[in-house]
Amino acid sequence: MMYKKTLAALCFSSLVTSTALASVSTEEAARLGVDLTPMGAEAGPNADGSIPAWNPAGTPIPPDFVAGSDNYVDAYPGEEPLYTIDGSNYQEYAEVLTEGSKAMFEKLGADGFKMNVYPTKRDFVVPEWVYSNTAKNATGATLEDGGQRIANAYPGVPFPLPQSGLEVLWNHLTRYLSDHTVKYDTYYVSSNGKPILSTTGLMGNVLPMYKSPESIMDDTPWLKLRINYKAPARRAGEILLVHEPGADFTQGKGRKAWQYLTGQRRVRLAPAVNFDTPNPGVAGTSTYDDSFIINGSPERFDWKLVGKKEMIVPYSSYDFVFQRELKDTLGEKFIDPEVVRWEKHRMWIIEATLKEGNRHLYSKRRFYIDEDSWAGLAAENYDGQGNMWRVQFAYGANLYDIKSNYHFAYGAYDLVQGIYNLNTKPSPGGFKNGVDQKDSWFSPKGMARGGVR
């Protein structure tokens, strides 16, 4: 399905609320590829033109990009920021700042946190068959089993015209990605400004669900993730394997995880690699379900669709994600503001409130999901007393030669302890499309064969 221009621009409401779970009609679904993009985003610009219309041609390939190198140089070289937001003027931009961003400006002051805001780019495109499947899903896909399972959806966006917070969440959890391999270092920065290496790893990700475009999404994994830990010395040789379901988190069909620990010299099931277990990959400064902004089963929370709003978020950060050594970008209080590109985009906002009788470190969570890619780009997590605790951002960019993107570089700022982390940002030259290993590498037996003896 191709994008078509319309005579009338779409009227954009800065905040849309929805409490109903009504199904999408054929007439509503027909908007895809007309006033909505084939992925369900608003195709037109916003009222003042600060958010442009979607560009169906995709991100321009820069002339100095070497085809096949996977070295993603800046697609927009030479651009200058339109304006800068810091602790002295952030209140002037309060309407387009996430709650977490405002909290960081208040916490870190004029010199601790800054946003260089660049012209907005809406160049994300995916293969044509993803658009076709998304069109089928618009009227066919449904949520079942209390929102724990998607029925009758093909690989693509299951709910391009979402009617609930859970539908927006599932769009993020099953978003289109391509296979890739990442070599990376993970640091956290303590309250005294000292960077501490918590992990050096090799991560391989494959997306089995997207290998069968004509098959209904089921418990076929959306993602198989394997990390071989190289450092620090106490973790060298460990392996983590996760199989993340594509459309079914019902009992017995949810996440499966395994660990290989050098001290035990065996592969074991790891059910604790889930929910609010502190993630050792970031030295426990975030939880497992903080990974990539939000992941895993939605079962412990009640979900609410707050609406859609224009927000300033990290975007198109080619230089930071692909070209810089992470350690060189770590400031005493937060990431060097000169390396991060911020843009204004329309974001779906969803909130999660802990269900009565359920356990989690966070009592409430708020997520900001990009309307164009369905990637989560920002979040706030609240402690048991209802105070904002951790602020999250994801950093990424479009992979302009293969119609995909990478938004797996993510981190959190702890408002209480004054520490922050950054995880799975590729080292320079450490990102590669595809994986060299066979599928057996992503199995428990493959872990056992690769373990340190």
Side-chain angles (χ1 to χ4, degrees), residues 268-289:
R268 63 179 180 87
L269 282 168
V273 179
N274 220 328
F275 297 111
D276 59 347
T277 301
N279 184 353
V282 289
T285 56
S286 288
T287 64
Y288 273 117
D289 63 5

Short mmCIF file of all heavy atoms in Angstrom, two decimals, residues 268-289:
data_model
loop_
_atom_site.label_atom_id
_atom_site.label_comp_id
_atom_site.label_asym_id
_atom_site.label_seq_id
_atom_site.Cartn_x
_atom_site.Cartn_y
_atom_site.Cartn_z
N ARG A 268 21.07 -22.89 32.55
CA ARG A 268 19.88 -23.07 33.39
C ARG A 268 18.79 -22.09 32.98
O ARG A 268 19.08 -20.99 32.47
CB ARG A 268 20.23 -22.88 34.86
CG ARG A 268 20.72 -21.48 35.23
CD ARG A 268 21.02 -21.40 36.72
NE ARG A 268 21.49 -20.08 37.12
CZ ARG A 268 20.69 -19.06 37.46
NH1 ARG A 268 19.38 -19.22 37.41
NH2 ARG A 268 21.21 -17.90 37.82
N LEU A 269 17.55 -22.50 33.18
CA LEU A 269 16.43 -21.60 32.95
C LEU A 269 16.55 -20.41 33.89
O LEU A 269 17.01 -20.55 35.03
CB LEU A 269 15.11 -22.32 33.18
CG LEU A 269 14.63 -23.23 32.05
CD1 LEU A 269 13.46 -24.10 32.54
CD2 LEU A 269 14.19 -22.41 30.85
N ALA A 270 16.13 -19.26 33.43
CA ALA A 270 16.28 -18.03 34.21
C ALA A 270 14.97 -17.27 34.25
O ALA A 270 14.82 -16.21 33.61
CB ALA A 270 17.40 -17.17 33.63
N PRO A 271 13.97 -17.77 34.99
CA PRO A 271 12.68 -17.06 35.04
C PRO A 271 12.79 -15.67 35.66
O PRO A 271 11.92 -14.82 35.45
CB PRO A 271 11.82 -17.99 35.91
CG PRO A 271 12.80 -18.81 36.70
CD PRO A 271 13.98 -18.98 35.80
N ALA A 272 13.86 -15.42 36.43
CA ALA A 272 14.02 -14.09 37.05
C ALA A 272 14.43 -13.02 36.05
O ALA A 272 14.39 -11.83 36.38
CB ALA A 272 15.05 -14.16 38.18
N VAL A 273 14.81 -13.42 34.83
CA VAL A 273 15.14 -12.43 33.80
C VAL A 273 13.82 -11.88 33.26
O VAL A 273 13.37 -12.22 32.17
CB VAL A 273 16.01 -13.06 32.69
CG1 VAL A 273 16.31 -12.03 31.60
CG2 VAL A 273 17.32 -13.58 33.29
N ASN A 274 13.19 -11.05 34.07
CA ASN A 274 11.83 -10.62 33.78
C ASN A 274 11.43 -9.51 34.74
O ASN A 274 12.06 -9.30 35.78
CB ASN A 274 10.87 -11.81 33.97
CG ASN A 274 9.80 -11.86 32.91
OD1 ASN A 274 9.36 -10.83 32.40
ND2 ASN A 274 9.36 -13.06 32.56
N PHE A 275 10.44 -8.77 34.37
CA PHE A 275 9.80 -7.78 35.22
C PHE A 275 10.83 -6.87 35.91
O PHE A 275 11.70 -6.32 35.24
CB PHE A 275 8.86 -8.46 36.23
CG PHE A 275 7.72 -9.20 35.58
CD1 PHE A 275 7.67 -10.59 35.61
CD2 PHE A 275 6.72 -8.51 34.92
CE1 PHE A 275 6.63 -11.28 35.00
CE2 PHE A 275 5.66 -9.19 34.31
CZ PHE A 275 5.62 -10.57 34.36
N ASP A 276 10.74 -6.75 37.25
CA ASP A 276 11.54 -5.74 37.95
C ASP A 276 12.82 -6.28 38.56
O ASP A 276 13.42 -5.62 39.42
CB ASP A 276 10.70 -5.05 39.02
CG ASP A 276 10.16 -6.02 40.07
OD1 ASP A 276 10.22 -7.24 39.84
OD2 ASP A 276 9.67 -5.54 41.12
N THR A 277 13.27 -7.44 38.12
CA THR A 277 14.57 -7.92 38.57
C THR A 277 15.65 -6.93 38.13
O THR A 277 15.70 -6.57 36.95
CB THR A 277 14.87 -9.31 37.99
OG1 THR A 277 13.85 -10.23 38.39
CG2 THR A 277 16.24 -9.82 38.46
N PRO A 278 16.51 -6.48 39.04
CA PRO A 278 17.59 -5.57 38.62
C PRO A 278 18.47 -6.21 37.56
O PRO A 278 18.86 -7.37 37.67
CB PRO A 278 18.35 -5.33 39.93
CG PRO A 278 17.34 -5.54 41.00
CD PRO A 278 16.47 -6.66 40.49
N ASN A 279 18.76 -5.45 36.52
CA ASN A 279 19.53 -5.95 35.38
C ASN A 279 21.02 -5.83 35.67
O ASN A 279 21.54 -4.71 35.76
CB ASN A 279 19.15 -5.15 34.13
CG ASN A 279 19.82 -5.65 32.88
OD1 ASN A 279 20.69 -6.52 32.92
ND2 ASN A 279 19.42 -5.11 31.73
N PRO A 280 21.75 -6.96 35.80
CA PRO A 280 23.19 -6.86 36.07
C PRO A 280 23.97 -6.25 34.91
O PRO A 280 25.09 -5.78 35.10
CB PRO A 280 23.60 -8.32 36.32
CG PRO A 280 22.56 -9.13 35.62
CD PRO A 280 21.30 -8.36 35.74
N GLY A 281 23.37 -6.23 33.73
CA GLY A 281 24.04 -5.61 32.59
C GLY A 281 24.31 -4.13 32.79
O GLY A 281 25.23 -3.57 32.20
N VAL A 282 23.49 -3.48 33.65
CA VAL A 282 23.71 -2.08 34.00
C VAL A 282 23.98 -1.96 35.50
O VAL A 282 23.65 -0.94 36.13
CB VAL A 282 22.52 -1.18 33.58
CG1 VAL A 282 22.47 -1.03 32.08
CG2 VAL A 282 21.20 -1.74 34.12
N ALA A 283 24.58 -3.00 36.06
CA ALA A 283 24.95 -3.05 37.48
C ALA A 283 23.75 -2.81 38.39
O ALA A 283 23.87 -2.22 39.46
CB ALA A 283 26.06 -2.04 37.78
N GLY A 284 22.56 -3.26 37.94
CA GLY A 284 21.37 -3.15 38.76
C GLY A 284 20.75 -1.79 38.82
O GLY A 284 19.82 -1.56 39.60
N THR A 285 21.20 -0.85 37.99
CA THR A 285 20.67 0.51 38.02
C THR A 285 19.39 0.68 37.20
O THR A 285 18.83 1.77 37.13
CB THR A 285 21.73 1.52 37.54
OG1 THR A 285 22.18 1.15 36.23
CG2 THR A 285 22.92 1.54 38.49
N SER A 286 18.93 -0.38 36.54
CA SER A 286 17.64 -0.45 35.87
C SER A 286 17.13 -1.89 36.00
O SER A 286 17.88 -2.79 36.39
CB SER A 286 17.74 -0.07 34.38
OG SER A 286 17.95 1.31 34.21
N THR A 287 15.88 -2.10 35.66
CA THR A 287 15.29 -3.43 35.72
C THR A 287 15.34 -4.10 34.35
O THR A 287 15.57 -3.45 33.32
CB THR A 287 13.84 -3.36 36.19
OG1 THR A 287 13.07 -2.64 35.21
CG2 THR A 287 13.74 -2.64 37.52
N TYR A 288 15.07 -5.41 34.33
CA TYR A 288 15.03 -6.10 33.04
C TYR A 288 13.95 -5.53 32.13
O TYR A 288 14.14 -5.41 30.92
CB TYR A 288 14.82 -7.60 33.24
CG TYR A 288 16.10 -8.37 33.45
CD1 TYR A 288 16.35 -9.04 34.65
CD2 TYR A 288 17.07 -8.44 32.46
CE1 TYR A 288 17.52 -9.76 34.85
CE2 TYR A 288 18.25 -9.15 32.64
CZ TYR A 288 18.47 -9.81 33.84
OH TYR A 288 19.64 -10.50 34.02
N ASP A 289 12.78 -5.19 32.70
CA ASP A 289 11.72 -4.70 31.81
C ASP A 289 11.85 -3.21 31.48
O ASP A 289 11.02 -2.65 30.79
CB ASP A 289 10.32 -5.04 32.33
CG ASP A 289 9.98 -4.41 33.67
OD1 ASP A 289 10.79 -3.62 34.19
OD2 ASP A 289 8.89 -4.72 34.20
#
